[in-house]
């Protein structure tokens, strides 16, 4: 199964993608993470302002990543497609390494809930694990330190209110309309992601099936 997340900022798509990846043993492909690893000043600036990076960069990065062997049994795609012009790229690359079913999961979350979440988010610069100091079940065991690899946690440059507002407006204007396209062309599941990470994950598990209650 290939899973695509459509979600506003701070809806938890990174955390949910990671959990699905672990449960199904399929890779978590995050275009945001791929972009953060590119050594380019223009891209770094676009990321810090929450602006979309050019489609040719996005297509190149995703074509390379989705062509890798570990995507043969499916993948979780996080952060793409994000606007109408990326649908065409998505259709070109979605089955580049397999012929699995493509399932779209939409995470629904009110704007204010997302805004509160963004203020507490910390990320591990080494392994990419995400924590939240304002949400008890998402706190690291030791303040400021990654549970998994012991590195100091960092705040993402784009995790501030101004950038959040801009990204949420962009989501409503450019990304949310894609849901109509997917409704007409495949399977779309809506999940309420204002619940806790675990409850949201359980709801996702119910719709995609085959899970146990390990989490
Ligand atoms: P994310 O990690 O998904 O929250 O994305 C972080 C940032 O990466 C966004 O604010 C954009 O600047 C950039 N970005 C992520 N996905 C895309 C995309 N599909 N197209 C263009 N830029 C993107």
């Amino acid at each position: 199964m290939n899973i695509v997340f459509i979600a506003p900022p701070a809806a938890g798509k990174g955390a949910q993608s990671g959990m699905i990846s672990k449960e199904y043993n399929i890779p978590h492909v995050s275009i945001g993470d791929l972009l953060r690893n590119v050594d380019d000043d223009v891209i770094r600036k676009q990321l810090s302002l929450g602006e979309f990076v050019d489609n040719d960069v996005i297509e190149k990065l995703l074509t390379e990543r989705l062509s890798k062997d570990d995507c043969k049994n499916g993948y979780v795609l996080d952060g793409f497609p994000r606007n109408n012009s990326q649908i065409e790229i998505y259709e070109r690359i979605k089955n580049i390494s397999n012929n699995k079913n493509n399932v779209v999961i939409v995470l629904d979350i009110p704007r204010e809930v997302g805004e509160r979440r963004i203020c507490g988010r910390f990320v591990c610069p080494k392994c990419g694990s995400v924590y939240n100091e304002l949400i008890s079940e998402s706190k690291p065991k030791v303040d400021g330190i990654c549970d998994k690899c012991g590195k100091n946690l960092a705040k993402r440059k784009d995790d501030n209110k101004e950038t959040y507002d801009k990204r949420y407006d962009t989501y409503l204007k450019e990304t949310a309309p894609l849901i109509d396209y997917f409704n007409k062309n495949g399977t779309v599941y809506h999940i309420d992601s204002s619940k806790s990470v675990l409850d949201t994950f359980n709801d996702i598990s119910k719709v995609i099936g085959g899970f146990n209650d390990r989490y």
Side-chain angles (χ1 to χ4, degrees), residues 7-10 13-14 30-36 43-55 58 62 78-83 86 121 156 158-159 163 167:
K13 64 184 164 52
S30 156
I31 184 62
D33 286 346
L34 293 174
L35 288 166
R36 277 182 283 276
I43 292 177
R44 260 195 292 273
K45 185 158 185 224
Q46 286 170 317
L47 293 184
S48 70
L49 295 173
E51 288 172 359
F52 283 165
V53 174
D54 296 351
N55 277 353
I58 302 288
L62 284 176
D78 155 9
F80 176 87
R82 252 180 162 129
N83 62 21
Q86 294 183 347
R121 180 155 76 176
R156 269 171 47 173
D158 54 351
D159 280 350
T163 304
R167 292 177 67 203

Side-chain angles (χ1 to χ4, degrees), residues 177-193:
L178 302 186
I179 298 166
D180 275 351
Y181 170 84
F182 285 121
N183 269 324
K184 287 182 198 126
N185 292 281
T187 315
V188 177
Y189 296 111
H190 279 265
I191 301 288
D192 171 8
S193 71

Side-chain angles (χ1 to χ4, degrees), residues 9 50 82 156 158 163-171:
R82 252 180 162 129
R156 269 171 47 173
D158 54 351
T163 304
Y164 175 78
D165 282 343
K166 194 165 157 189
R167 292 177 67 203
Y168 200 96
D169 287 342
T170 305
Y171 172 78

Side-chain angles (χ1 to χ4, degrees), residues 25-202:
N25 199 21
I26 52 178
H28 170 198
V29 177
S30 156
I31 184 62
D33 286 346
L34 293 174
L35 288 166
R36 277 182 283 276
N37 284 331
V38 178
D39 186 13
D40 181 292
D41 286 343
V42 174
I43 292 177
R44 260 195 292 273
K45 185 158 185 224
Q46 286 170 317
L47 293 184
S48 70
L49 295 173
E51 288 172 359
F52 283 165
V53 174
D54 296 351
N55 277 353
D56 50 349
V57 175
I58 302 288
E59 180 161 9
K60 183 170 174 289
L61 287 172
L62 284 176
T63 302
E64 271 169 28
R65 182 63 190 91
L66 295 181
S67 301
K68 292 199 170 150
D69 269 0
D70 64 343
C71 293
K72 285 213 163 77
N73 293 320
Y75 55 80
V76 188
L77 185 54
D78 155 9
F80 176 87
R82 252 180 162 129
N83 62 21
N84 209 27
S85 72
Q86 294 183 347
I87 285 284
E88 208 178 297
I89 304 173
Y90 170 73
E91 292 298 342
R92 265 201 298 276
I93 64 175
K94 67 180 181 189
N95 289 110
I96 209 164
S97 62
N98 68 48
N99 283 315
K100 306 278 180 199
N101 287 332
N102 299 289
V103 172
V104 176
I105 297 178
V106 180
L107 296 180
D108 295 312
I109 185 171
R111 185 175 191 132
E112 319 74 61
V113 179
E115 189 184 313
R116 276 197 301 276
R117 279 185 187 176
I118 215 95
C119 297
R121 180 155 76 176
F122 283 88
V123 183
C124 175
K126 187 168 178 220
C127 70
S129 298
V130 179
Y131 300 88
N132 196 304
E133 61 176 9
L134 302 178
I135 300 170
S136 55
E137 85 238 17
S138 308
K139 283 183 180 173
K141 291 192 180 96
V142 179
D143 275 355
I145 304 289
C146 179
D147 292 351
K148 292 180 189 145
C149 60
K151 278 266 166 196
N152 286 334
L153 299 175
K155 194 129 188 88
R156 269 171 47 173
K157 265 195 185 152
D158 54 351
D159 280 350
N160 59 68
K161 182 171 163 23
E162 196 189 346
T163 304
Y164 175 78
D165 282 343
K166 194 165 157 189
R167 292 177 67 203
Y168 200 96
D169 287 342
T170 305
Y171 172 78
L172 290 180
K173 193 166 155 239
E174 300 204 33
T175 310
L178 302 186
I179 298 166
D180 275 351
Y181 170 84
F182 285 121
N183 269 324
K184 287 182 198 126
N185 292 281
T187 315
V188 177
Y189 296 111
H190 279 265
I191 301 288
D192 171 8
S193 71
S194 57
K195 297 179 180 178
S196 72
V197 175
L198 292 182
D199 287 344
T200 303
F201 179 65
N202 284 334

